[in-house]
Amino acid sequence: MSSGRSWRGVARTEGIVSAPEPTHALAETIAEALRCKESGEEKVILTALCGHGHFDLAAYDRYLSGEMRDFALPQERIDDALSGLPRV
């Protein structure tokens, strides 16, 4: 399940518009629940939902209308951004 489908499902069933960041965890939680359903395994699955998506509504609207496109950030820009971080 994609993160986009997971936040829409949570919004429809729970009435919560989540922030984009936890939607990846929601997608994996749902996928794990479906695997358990298929295998018959009983398991307690816990996840956390932090933040809300109120500030992200314009981006969600672009995503749902098909206006948002995937963008692969060039490795050069990633390396440039990482070069400014302190070494730990």
Side-chain angles (χ1 to χ4, degrees):
M1 170 173 286
S2 71
S3 60
R5 286 184 57 207
S6 70
W7 71 258
R8 284 188 302 229
V10 170
R12 288 183 181 132
T13 59
E14 301 296 327
I16 300 168
V17 177
S18 68
E21 296 81 3
T23 60
H24 303 284
L26 291 172
E28 186 53 36
T29 300
I30 293 167
E32 181 64 18
L34 293 173
R35 284 190 290 271
C36 289
K37 181 179 179 181
E38 185 177 299
S39 70
E41 179 183 2
E42 290 189 24
K43 182 186 275 189
V44 175
I45 304 169
L46 177 67
T47 191
L49 178 62
C50 59
H52 58 76
H54 298 156
F55 296 117
D56 304 294
L57 291 175
Y60 283 151
D61 184 50
R62 287 195 326 268
Y63 174 78
L64 291 171
S65 68
E67 294 175 28
M68 188 175 285
R69 300 284 179 244
D70 284 337
F71 173 75
L73 193 62
Q75 187 63 44
E76 180 180 298
R77 288 192 49 200
I78 295 170
D79 294 342
D80 185 49
L82 292 174
S83 71
L85 294 177
R87 296 205 179 258
V88 180

